[in-house]
Amino acid sequence: MSVSEHYPGETKTNSDRELPTLPSSFSILIIDEDKTSRNLMSKALQKIAPEWRVNEADSGEEALNVVSNSDGGFDLIFVDEYLGNKPGALLGSDAVTKLRAQGFGRLICGMSGSDAHASFKDAGADAFVFKPLPFRPAALTQELSRIISLSSSA
């Protein structure tokens, strides 16, 4: 499996082009120990796709529980690599490995401020992005479209 990678500020389309259309119904889980990061990402997602369901988890352990108890699951999971410094806490890539072992077959996108691309790829993630994600509506729409398109090319 090839993991798609993206760097902040990198643009693959001209700004003059029409923005891609996002799905009308979509469910996302954001896994990040930093509440501010989760809130910013959640608000940015709700701004461009208000009908989407966005859930949050602050640890890999909580995410595993949320996913196993969710009705209908999630279409896309964003997971940060460093999920706190509690002894025994899962790294994001460890959470991806466990999610895949539990049978989660939909999109997973690893994210980190450092290069954790290889860790996420080895764990079974579909994509990787460097944090911070773009929060401008046009840039975030393009990035989400890129990640979502991976599910049809897998």
Side-chain angles (χ1 to χ4, degrees):
M1 174 190 317
S2 151
V3 174
S4 178
E5 182 175 350
H6 183 261
Y7 296 87
E10 181 180 340
T11 305
K12 295 188 179 187
T13 61
N14 292 334
S15 58
D16 295 339
R17 292 188 187 168
E18 191 174 312
L19 287 176
T21 302
L22 296 173
S24 60
S25 176
F26 212 68
S27 179
I28 292 181
L29 175 63
I30 302 166
I31 309 168
D32 195 322
E33 84 292 352
D34 183 63
K35 184 175 182 158
T36 301
S37 293
R38 288 192 319 267
N39 287 341
L40 285 171
M41 189 170 178
S42 187
K43 286 179 182 179
L45 290 167
Q46 290 297 312
K47 186 173 184 176
I48 64 168
E51 65 283 358
W52 286 10
R53 182 173 56 100
V54 179
N55 291 70
E56 302 175 12
D58 67 2
S59 69
E61 294 82 2
E62 180 185 359
L64 292 169
N65 187 41
V66 167
V67 170
S68 66
N69 292 318
S70 68
D71 286 338
F74 296 94
D75 298 300
L76 171 60
I77 295 176
F78 282 101
V79 57
D80 186 29
E81 177 65 345
Y82 300 104
L83 296 171
N85 54 8
K86 295 179 197 168
L90 291 175
L91 290 173
S93 52
D94 296 332
V96 172
T97 299
K98 290 184 179 286
L99 285 163
R100 293 297 190 210
Q102 286 182 352
F104 184 82
R106 295 190 181 165
L107 290 169
I108 298 176
C109 182
M111 56 184 186
S112 181
S114 60
D115 191 358
H117 175 258
S119 297
F120 278 111
K121 178 181 179 181
D122 293 345
D126 301 291
F128 174 80
V129 293
F130 279 92
K131 287 173 68 178
L133 268 65
F135 290 120
R136 290 185 336 271
L140 183 56
T141 299
Q142 289 176 344
E143 185 63 6
L144 286 167
S145 178
R146 181 190 71 82
I147 294 166
I148 292 167
S149 73
L150 296 172
S151 67
S152 60
S153 63

